[in-house]
Amino acid sequence: MPAHHDDYARSAEFIDVMIAGWWEAFGAHVAEAVASMKGAEGPVVDVGAGGGPGTRVLLDTLPGAEVIAVEPSPALRAVLLSRAADPVWGGGRVTVHGEDLLSARLPERLGGLLAMNVLGHFTPHQRARIWTMLADRLAPGSAALVNLLPPHEPATIERVVMSELTVGRRDYKGWSAAVPTGPESVRWSMTYEVHEAGELVWSTDVDYDWWCLTGEGLRAEAARHGLDAAPTGPDEAGLFLLRHGAGAGA
């Protein structure tokens, strides 16, 4: 397995619970778009699957579809694999890949692809490789669903609370801030805190780079590879369906 820098090595335990609000707000819109994307051939890929919230949407929305869940972070993948192995949760339909998307051994035909809250981890060059792969491998009639998270252009994001919740006797709080690092990127700084009885038990800090992309930029990149990128769902979800463009070969 190729070496992979794990941006979530110190924060993996918080990711699923702290992004639950995003899925509560937009999960139904993701499911609606997913329902329209399954091609006649090949499995559906969940990119950066984490602990499996998107995988669950694929399983529920596309009955009978095989799912390949790609997650390079070992800590996140541990949760994903345990769920996939559960016959009630995964039903034997989920295969877990530990490589990143561009290293994973994927089939030559894909029935669809889901990439939620992950596109900013890929550089512009890596995105071009993803669009090439989709143009080559998406089955006729299938599609990829991606989303764009703010900031869509580099900007300073002041430190704010992004999520907080209580589990048992402990309270969990996540803070986030970002600063521009170039004409197309920012660096996110995240702090995760654990409190009990009003006292800080411990905290951890995480920094990672994020590549920004506008909807216009996504449409232009996709078009260069024979793909149409069309927005779907509410604007704040940032969802786009990518399909073979008119006259493009499949």
Side-chain angles (χ1 to χ4, degrees):
M1 184 182 301
H4 172 80
H5 174 72
D6 186 1
D7 288 325
Y8 300 102
R10 298 199 307 275
S11 62
E13 66 184 283
F14 306 106
I15 299 303
D16 267 19
V17 293
M18 288 196 173
I19 66 169
W22 189 93
W23 285 99
E24 289 172 5
F26 303 120
H29 301 290
V30 173
E32 183 178 355
V34 163
S36 73
M37 78 181 194
K38 178 66 169 68
E41 308 171 54
V44 179
V45 178
D46 185 9
V47 182
T55 304
R56 183 72 260 165
V57 171
L58 293 174
L59 291 170
D60 291 343
T61 310
L62 302 174
E66 178 188 359
V67 179
I68 296 177
V70 177
E71 179 48 65
S73 170
L76 291 172
R77 193 169 65 249
V79 176
L80 177 66
L81 183 59
S82 67
R83 289 174 171 168
D86 182 343
V88 176
W89 192 92
R93 294 161 54 197
V94 181
T95 299
V96 176
H97 283 215
E99 301 86 0
D100 63 74
L101 175 63
L102 295 172
S103 302
R105 298 173 59 184
L106 300 178
E108 290 302 313
R109 270 296 192 219
L110 302 179
L113 180 139
L114 180 68
M116 292 294 97
N117 306 321
V118 71
L119 201 58
H121 284 301
F122 296 96
T123 68
H125 174 69
Q126 290 170 328
R127 289 199 307 263
R129 292 176 59 193
I130 294 171
W131 312 145
T132 297
M133 179 194 70
L134 292 177
D136 291 343
R137 300 194 185 191
L138 277 178
S142 61
L145 180 66
V146 306
N147 74 320
L148 302 180
L149 293 176
H152 303 303
E153 297 179 305
T156 297
I157 309 296
E158 300 296 336
R159 190 171 187 262
V160 296
V161 175
M162 61 176 174
S163 182
E164 52 188 332
L165 68 150
T166 299
V167 180
R169 297 187 179 189
R170 294 196 163 183
D171 301 313
Y172 298 82
K173 182 177 290 188
W175 300 81
S176 63
V179 295
T181 54
E184 299 179 79
S185 61
V186 298
R187 170 157 288 196
W188 282 104
S189 296
M190 324 295 267
T191 299
Y192 299 91
E193 298 177 345
V194 182
H195 299 257
E196 186 170 343
E199 296 184 2
L200 179 66
V201 177
W202 67 279
S203 66
T204 187
D205 297 310
V206 177
D207 295 323
Y208 60 86
D209 294 319
W210 188 261
W211 293 88
C212 304
L213 185 62
T214 65
E216 181 181 355
L218 173 62
R219 287 189 289 268
E221 287 186 3
R224 288 195 290 271
H225 294 81
L227 299 170
D228 288 336
T232 184
D235 290 345
E236 56 268 29
L239 299 172
F240 287 80
L241 274 168
L242 280 70
R243 300 182 185 276
H244 291 292

